[in-house]
């Protein structure tokens, strides 16, 4: 079980896979920490699976601060990664100021989306002494701009861009990077070329670890589940059963 970001290089060297899950509230964070999950991510995916928004672009800094604080209250061991939400890092100065706010909530590091295009922001965050996690490939915060969620690494040009992004983040000093919805062979290639730990989601098994949205894992968000996510529980079904059983007891005459 990971207890510090300083242990990440050892995981990479020894080939020990990282198990990462999202958390958005105190009880979930506490249970995942007790279970031994290596890293917790307070992802802006909370916009969809907690707040019912159509995508992540409506998530604000205030929302991220609220949920990061709750998660960090529930954790005693696992380092917490906190997302910088859409439009919260348009300049290096803004990126650092908002990253500091998330760190003040108890996060161990911050994450933002992009590679070469956001390198000034990344460098500013790291120069400020804030541990940084990158995120390349499919970028949920760019879903409107790109017209949907699209697999990355299908063309030579796309592969070149992904490798350039990964190498730029690695050279800047990222402690890890999320590879989202990338062709598996390309994700494996990137993993072999960077010092930072890679954490895949929809990018095959060749990365240094995997991250899942916890409601997808638990089956607690039945309205949508990505094809790569295997539900290992049926929390939605059990919730419906328990509620209906309770209602039957209440409504049945004594």
């Amino acid at each position: 079980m990971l207890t510090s970001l300083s242990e990440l290089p050892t995981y990479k060297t020894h080939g020990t896979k990282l198990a990462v899950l999202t958390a958005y509230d105190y009880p979930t964070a506490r249970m995942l920490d007790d279970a031994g999950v290596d890293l917790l991510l307070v992802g802006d995916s909370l916009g969809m699976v907690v707040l019912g928004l159509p995508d992540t672009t409506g998530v604000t800094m205030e929302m991220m601060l609220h949920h990061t604080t709750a998660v960090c209250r529930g954790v005693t061991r696992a380092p917490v990664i906190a997302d910088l939400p859409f439009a919260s890092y348009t300049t290096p100065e803004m990126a650092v100021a908002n990253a500091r706010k998330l760190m003040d909530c108890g996060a161990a590091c911050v994450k933002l989306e992009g590679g070469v295009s956001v390198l000034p922001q990344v460098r500013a965050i790291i120069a400020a002494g804030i541990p940084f996690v990158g995120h390349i490939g499919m970028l949920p915060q760019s879903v409107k701009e790109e017209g949907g969620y699209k697999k990355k690494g299908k063309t030579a040009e796309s592969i070149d861009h992904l490798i350039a992004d990964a190498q730029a983040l690695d050279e800047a000093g990222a402690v890890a990077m999320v590879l989202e919805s990338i062709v598996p062979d390309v994700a494996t290639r990137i993993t072999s070329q960077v010092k930072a730990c890679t954490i895949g989601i929809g990018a095959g098994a060749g990365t240094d670890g995997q991250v899942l949205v916890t409601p997808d894992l638990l089956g607690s968000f039945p309205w949508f589940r990505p094809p790569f996510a295997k539900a290992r529980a049926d929390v939605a079904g059990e919730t419906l059963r328990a509620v209906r059983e309770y209602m039957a007891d209440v409504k049945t005459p004594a």
Side-chain angles (χ1 to χ4, degrees), residues 101-117:
K101 291 178 183 178
L102 290 170
M103 296 295 284
D104 287 343
C105 294
C109 51
V110 301
K111 178 171 76 66
L112 61 76
E113 295 182 5
V116 173
S117 65

Side-chain angles (χ1 to χ4, degrees), residues 17-40:
K17 296 287 188 178
L18 290 162
V20 187
L21 287 170
T22 63
Y24 315 106
D25 56 63
Y26 170 86
T28 302
R30 184 167 176 175
M31 285 188 282
L32 296 180
D33 192 46
D34 287 347
V37 170
D38 292 306
L39 291 161
L40 295 184

Side-chain angles (χ1 to χ4, degrees), residues 43-45 53 55-64 83-90 94 98 102 111-113 139-145:
D44 57 5
S45 50
L53 298 173
D55 53 54
T56 65
T57 62
V59 176
T60 64
M61 266 305 297
E62 289 72 23
M63 293 172 184
M64 291 305 306
D83 266 346
L84 281 161
F86 179 73
S88 70
Y89 49 93
T90 53
M94 181 186 292
N98 284 325
L102 290 170
K111 178 171 76 66
L112 61 76
E113 295 182 5
L139 307 178
Q141 292 177 13
S142 301
V143 62
K144 292 181 179 177
E145 178 183 331

